[in-house]
Amino acid sequence: MEKKNIDWENLGFGYAQTDMRYVSNYKNGAWDEGTLTSDSNVVINECAGVLQYAQTCFEGLKAYTTEDGRIVCFRPDLNAERMEATAQRLEMPVFPKDRFVDAVVKTVEANEAYVPPYGSGATLYIRPYMFGSSSVIGVKPAEEYQFRIFCTPVGPYFKGGVKPLTIRVSDFDRAAPHGTGHIKAGLNYAMSLHAIVDAHDQGFDENMYLDAATRTRVEETGGANFLFVTKDGKVVTPKSESILPSITRRSLMTVAKDYLGLEVEEREVFFEEVKDFTECGLCGTAAVISPVGKINDHGREICFPSGMNEMGPVTKKLYETLTGIQMGRIEAPEGWIKVIK
Ligand code: PLP
Ligand code: COI
């Protein structure tokens, strides 16, 4: 298979159209058999549920070329399960897990020429999504839906790759208690757009959101969960009902415990204790694990000891072990790697 002529090493995190995408339609209470199509356009009615009441959700995962030349993806079953939870909360039909994984495989296979080569630093980002496609004008769920998957080759999510980030404590909230913060609803990201534009305008890479009720506990950023390291080397991650259960974060906690022999703790993290941590990282499919060098809380700066030039030592070990597992250099736990070909 001849690869596309793409400057893999210099890709940013952007959309580039690939050849094929997967589509399945839900009508009269059932999904159709699904198909691959070369048509990248979606045609829907002006009154579609997604357009009027934002009835849409998505997932994100990646395909990698391993050291020995296979194409694999990482824990797609967990994306399927999370999309199931999201769909239920948004009154959307569930796209069955086995069909979800099969559709991911088909989409990647059909776009093999776009899977970045091993060692290029790029990966194939896979975006499954679903939306209400039939018309609704009273506030209620649509009756018809479309499930689709496209993919696009990407480089690092943050410009500068693994250079430490500067983030700020946000004055905007991302998710309400008992709201939708724990699912991957498009509306959570619409909520965060003004906050991220404003953060970028002020020279920050991301927002640290605190819990909306008390503004005392750390939640997450617009697109990643937090990991912290304590002075005595423990890996700590915030526990909250209103953050997205990141697959990367859950995997990194296992890596920390089982591969690196570190103590791990998922618990409430108060903003006031953040200054006492020695490392901070953002973890997610797109972010992988991106080190945070500095947090700005309304002018008060928290600077982590590893500085603004390199990752802290624990973050680095986590990064290397996780990417080693994803790229086939390190043996993965049972069931983590789905071989595509
Ligand atoms: N938190 C938010 C708000 C996200 O959008 C994402 C991205 O998917 C994550 C966390 C990380 O989740 P995952 O590791 O499953 O990609
Ligand atoms: C992902 O990491 O897959 C996400 O969906 C985050 C998004 C902000 C790009």
Side-chain angles (χ1 to χ4, degrees):
M1 154 70 53
E2 202 172 321
K3 293 284 175 190
K4 297 283 169 183
N5 184 19
I6 292 172
D7 183 8
W8 309 105
E9 277 81 6
N10 292 308
L11 280 175
F13 195 87
Y15 170 74
Q17 195 174 306
T18 64
D19 293 340
M20 302 299 280
R21 65 276 306 128
Y22 181 88
V23 54
S24 179
N25 287 292
Y26 181 89
K27 198 173 176 175
N28 300 325
W31 290 103
D32 69 12
E33 68 280 12
T35 186
L36 288 167
T37 170
S38 60
D39 189 355
S40 59
N41 293 311
V42 176
V43 179
I44 45 175
N45 184 264
E46 61 191 352
C47 203
V50 55
L51 298 179
Q52 301 310 322
Y53 303 124
Q55 203 184 13
T56 180
C57 65
F58 68 100
E59 273 300 326
L61 68 162
K62 283 173 171 173
Y64 310 82
T65 303
T66 61
E67 194 171 24
D68 61 1
R70 291 170 302 150
I71 296 175
V72 303
C73 64
F74 187 69
R75 311 189 77 176
D77 51 321
L78 296 190
N79 294 95
E81 284 171 14
R82 192 168 62 190
M83 193 175 223
E84 177 170 344
T86 300
Q88 283 164 345
R89 177 65 174 79
L90 296 178
E91 292 295 334
M92 300 168 100
V94 169
F95 195 73
K97 181 165 151 180
D98 54 338
R99 290 201 55 196
F100 180 105
V101 173
D102 183 57
V104 166
V105 170
K106 286 199 170 83
T107 310
V108 176
E109 273 174 351
N111 294 290
E112 190 187 341
Y114 294 90
V115 184
Y118 176 76
S120 64
T123 52
L124 188 75
Y125 185 71
I126 305 161
R127 173 54 64 90
Y129 59 113
M130 192 201 296
F131 51 87
S133 53
S134 61
S135 59
V136 283
I137 194 72
V139 177
K140 63 176 183 184
E143 285 180 356
E144 295 172 14
Y145 293 83
Q146 206 165 97
F147 171 84
R148 299 177 72 102
I149 305 180
F150 69 79
C151 54
T152 182
V154 296
Y157 188 64
F158 294 105
K159 276 202 237 50
V162 292
K163 232 176 120 290
L165 305 169
T166 302
I167 65 173
R168 68 150 186 206
V169 175
S170 176
D171 285 330
F172 302 102
D173 295 323
R174 172 184 174 273
H178 315 294
T180 56
H182 60 299
I183 58 164
K184 215 158 163 59
L187 63 93
N188 294 338
Y189 298 82
M191 293 268 296
S192 73
L193 295 177
H194 178 60
I196 193 65
V197 169
D198 188 58
H200 287 163
D201 285 350
Q202 312 282 329
F204 301 106
D205 295 303
E206 252 296 356
N207 287 295
M208 169 184 265
Y209 292 104
L210 302 181
D211 76 290
T214 71
R215 294 266 174 94
T216 59
R217 288 184 291 259
V218 176
E219 295 249 293
E220 60 175 331
T221 68
N225 282 180
F226 279 105
L227 283 185
F228 298 101
V229 181
T230 64
K231 285 194 183 82
D232 52 0
K234 191 188 290 177
V235 180
V236 176
T237 192
K239 188 183 175 89
S240 162
E241 296 294 311
S242 46
I243 65 175
L244 194 75
S246 158
I247 294 161
T248 314
R249 183 256 297 165
R250 286 182 269 161
S251 305
L252 283 167
M253 294 300 269
T254 301
V255 164
K257 190 162 143 293
D258 296 348
Y259 284 65
L260 304 178
L262 300 171
E263 238 186 287
V264 297
E265 205 168 59
E266 186 184 357
R267 61 162 168 87
E268 285 187 335
V269 172
F270 288 90
F271 181 68
E272 267 317 304
E273 58 180 310
V274 169
K275 62 180 185 329
D276 302 323
F277 292 124
T278 57
E279 295 179 41
C280 171
L282 306 184
C283 54
T285 298
V288 192
I289 174 163
S290 302
V292 173
K294 202 188 280 183
I295 302 176
N296 187 304
D297 173 27
H298 304 90
R300 178 170 75 115
E301 287 192 339
I302 296 173
C303 300
F304 293 99
S306 41
M308 295 306 295
N309 287 315
E310 53 187 5
M311 282 192 184
V314 176
T315 306
K316 189 156 191 234
K317 271 195 238 161
L318 287 168
Y319 178 88
E320 282 172 357
T321 313
L322 180 71
T323 53
I325 289 171
Q326 290 167 335
M327 311 276 176
R329 294 187 297 268
I330 297 175
E331 195 176 337
E334 177 82 33
W336 279 24
I337 299 296
K338 172 79 187 168
V339 177
I340 291 171
K341 66 184 292 178

